[in-house]
């Protein structure tokens, strides 16, 4: 039982279903305080956040992550209870093992080894930990970043511990993410009897041509870092449940995952133009969850690639695939942001797990990144 596995177990044991932190951040704060970190507990709304910093000089390297987890689902379907961490066949099982309590444990033990013997980094190290990543993400990292910006505190390099790898630890670094723009469209019609369509107006019939056009558009062709922008409908709702009633309204929920080749303003305008061209009477609400961001080759990318190769022998690939992460709130401040964590094969699933050896290697990679980026002050 290594320090990294022991800490991961302690974190998983806490039932921190979003937005409940369940004491995880207090546990981390105690470990970091013992290393000399200045501790700030920042609560916004119902969300607990931790900002811990060692040092006052630049450059500032920050680990970022979240202690909240998604619900376990039917607990009787788990081989072992989701909040009773279990070691089995070389894996640590439990909700949050991969997403992302394992990464947080690896970050913490990496710092403990890096700072052993009271060594001082040539710069500052920080932890930005929230309990609002799996939920609305309105009172978590985004609020901490605003708080730091208001007092002029700038992150130079940020490593988010989201599970990034596909087949083996270190095979993928996420150096960016697509933007996410959601829409909730309400198309208005006139309810009526299905036998008398001339006395009604069917919003489904009216909307389908416009939706077909939206599905067929090539929004852009992407670029060397991002795939083409995609438009996907996730929900359609209409009708009363009766088979002989023309509905009076239709609701469509859709989402854009967009590249840096197009802006959210351009997407909104094009949708408005298409809906207007089809003569629809509608209401449309937009939700911008995050802008696309990209960290090109530079000090952070180089430090991560070198560390992964030294520890695992793998040459990692850079990727911007997947959903959103809290990196979308940190990158706009000018920070270089990467995501690097364990395999994502079991995240949000029944019997979520992380490889025990992977945790140890991940901690070693994080430590090597600290060495590569900061090093130590000359005595």
């Amino acid at each position: 039982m290594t320090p990294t596995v022991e800490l991961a177990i302690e974190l998983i044991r806490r039932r921190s279903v979003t937005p409940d932190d369940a004491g995880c951040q207090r546990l981390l704060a105690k470990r970091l305080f013992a290393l000399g970190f200045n501790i700030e507990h920042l609560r916004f709304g119902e969300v607990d956040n931790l900002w811990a910093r060692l040092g006052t000089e630049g450059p500032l390297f920050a680990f970022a992550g979240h202690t909240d987890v998604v619900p376990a689902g039917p607990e009787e379907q788990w081989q072992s209870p989701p909040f009773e961490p279990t070691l089995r066949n070389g894996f640590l099982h439990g909700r949050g093992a991969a997403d992302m309590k394992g990464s947080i444990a690896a970050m913490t033990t990496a710092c403990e080894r890096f700072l052993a013997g009271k060594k001082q980094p040539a710069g500052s190290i920080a932890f930005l930990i929230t309990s609002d990543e799996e939920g609305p993400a309105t009172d978590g990292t985004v609020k901490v970043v605003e708080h730091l910006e208001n007092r002029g505190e700038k992150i130079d390099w940020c490593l988010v511990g989201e599970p990034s790898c596909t087949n083996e630890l270190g095979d993928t670094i996420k150096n960016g993410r697509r933007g996410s723009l959601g829409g909730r469209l309400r198309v208005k019609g006139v309810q009526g009897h299905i036998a008398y369509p001339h006395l009604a107006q069917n919003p489904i019939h009216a909307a389908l041509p416009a939706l077909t056009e939206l599905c067929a558009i090539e929004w852009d062709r992407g670029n060397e870092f991002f795939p083409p922008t995609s438009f996907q409908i996730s929900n359609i709702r209409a009708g009363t449940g009766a088979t002989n009633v023309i509905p009076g309204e239709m609701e469509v929920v859709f989402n854009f995952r967009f590249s840096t080749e197009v802006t959210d303003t351009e997407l909104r305008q094009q949708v408005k133009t298409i809906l207007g061209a089809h003569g629809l009477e509608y209401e449309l609400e937009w939700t911008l969850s995050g802008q696309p961001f990209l960290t090109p080759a530079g000090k952070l990318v180089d430090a991560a690639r070198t560390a992964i190769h030294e520890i695992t022998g793998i040459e990692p690939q850079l990727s911007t695939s997947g959903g959103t992460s809290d990196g979308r709130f940190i990158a706009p401040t000018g920070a270089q942001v990467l995501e690097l964590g364990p395999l994502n094969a079991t995240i949000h699933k029944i019997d979520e797990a992380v490889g025990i050896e992977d945790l140890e290697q991940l901690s070693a990679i994080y430590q090597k990144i600290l060495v590569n980026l900061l090093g130590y002050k000359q005595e």
Side-chain angles (χ1 to χ4, degrees):
M1 190 76 72
T2 67
T4 304
V5 174
E6 287 180 345
L7 180 54
I9 286 173
E10 285 300 309
L11 292 170
I12 295 168
R13 189 171 283 134
R14 288 162 167 77
R15 190 180 288 263
S16 57
V17 177
T18 188
D20 188 7
D21 171 69
C24 292
Q25 292 175 25
R26 294 284 175 181
L27 173 62
L28 295 172
K30 183 177 180 180
R31 299 277 287 254
L32 296 175
F33 180 79
L35 297 175
F37 280 76
N38 180 59
I39 305 297
E40 294 181 70
H41 292 284
L42 304 171
R43 187 170 176 85
F44 301 107
E46 299 300 314
V47 175
D48 290 309
N49 302 284
L50 172 66
W51 175 251
R53 177 166 178 167
L54 176 71
T56 58
E57 301 173 355
L60 172 57
F61 172 86
F63 286 112
H66 60 92
T67 51
D68 59 320
V69 299
V70 297
E75 296 197 11
E76 67 276 8
Q77 294 183 16
W78 287 68
Q79 292 188 52
S80 52
F83 297 102
E84 292 181 17
T86 304
L87 299 174
R88 189 168 62 247
N89 300 323
F91 288 86
L92 171 60
H93 292 262
R95 176 56 85 222
D99 189 14
M100 56 172 284
K101 291 181 175 180
S103 295
I104 291 176
M107 295 169 179
T108 304
T109 56
C111 278
E112 289 174 340
R113 292 192 307 275
F114 177 70
L115 299 170
K118 297 189 177 181
K119 296 178 182 177
Q120 293 298 311
S124 297
I125 306 172
F127 279 70
L128 195 170
I129 308 295
T130 184
S131 63
D132 184 36
E133 196 275 345
E134 299 289 7
T138 55
D139 289 318
T141 300
V142 63
K143 288 290 181 66
V144 177
V145 170
E146 290 174 2
H147 180 76
L148 297 176
E149 288 279 289
N150 288 338
R151 67 188 192 191
E153 200 164 358
K154 287 282 191 181
I155 297 171
D156 296 287
W157 303 304
C158 181
L159 192 153
V160 186
E162 290 289 350
S164 63
C165 300
T166 304
N167 298 311
E168 56 184 332
L169 182 71
D171 63 8
T172 306
I173 300 170
K174 298 291 180 68
N175 67 320
R177 291 281 190 164
R178 293 173 294 175
S180 177
L181 176 65
R184 186 177 295 272
L185 171 68
R186 294 182 180 88
V187 180
K188 299 179 180 180
V190 177
Q191 184 173 310
H193 196 292
I194 205 164
Y196 301 95
H198 60 288
L199 299 178
Q201 183 179 343
N202 194 320
I204 300 174
H205 293 187
L208 285 179
L211 295 178
T212 300
E213 185 174 346
L214 288 169
C215 291
I217 287 178
E218 182 181 71
W219 303 93
D220 60 53
R221 296 184 179 181
N223 54 39
E224 62 177 314
F225 298 106
F226 291 93
T229 293
S230 69
F231 170 86
Q232 292 293 319
I233 296 172
S234 59
N235 285 279
I236 294 180
R237 181 186 62 81
T240 64
T243 61
N244 60 351
V245 178
I246 293 172
E249 182 179 277
M250 174 186 182
E251 182 180 80
V252 182
V253 181
F254 62 86
N255 179 266
F256 286 99
R257 293 300 166 102
F258 62 102
S259 75
T260 50
E261 294 295 305
V262 67
T263 68
D264 67 284
T265 301
E266 291 169 337
L267 293 173
R268 295 177 204 234
Q269 183 57 52
Q270 195 163 358
V271 170
K272 181 179 178 181
T273 298
I274 291 170
L275 296 177
H278 287 271
L280 299 181
E281 183 181 357
Y282 67 91
E283 296 176 353
L284 179 54
E285 299 174 2
W286 293 102
T287 302
L288 179 63
S289 299
Q291 297 285 3
F293 71 89
L294 180 72
T295 297
K299 288 186 176 181
L300 182 57
V301 170
D302 292 345
R305 276 178 155 166
T306 300
I308 290 171
H309 183 71
E310 289 183 8
I311 300 301
T312 69
I314 293 172
E315 293 290 349
Q317 67 170 353
L318 299 178
S319 171
T320 61
S321 64
T324 59
S325 77
D326 277 1
R328 69 190 189 272
F329 303 126
I330 302 167
T333 68
Q336 294 181 33
V337 179
L338 291 183
E339 298 173 29
L340 174 59
L343 274 65
N344 54 30
T346 64
I347 61 175
H348 293 203
K349 291 185 177 182
I350 302 295
D351 291 327
E352 179 180 350
V354 64
I356 296 170
E357 181 59 31
D358 283 357
L359 277 184
E360 299 308 319
Q361 288 197 323
L362 185 61
S363 183
I365 290 169
Y366 288 161
Q367 180 184 357
K368 183 64 69 172
I369 290 173
L370 288 171
V371 172
N372 293 344
L373 279 176
L374 297 179
Y376 298 103
K377 288 183 178 178
Q378 297 296 322
E379 296 182 0

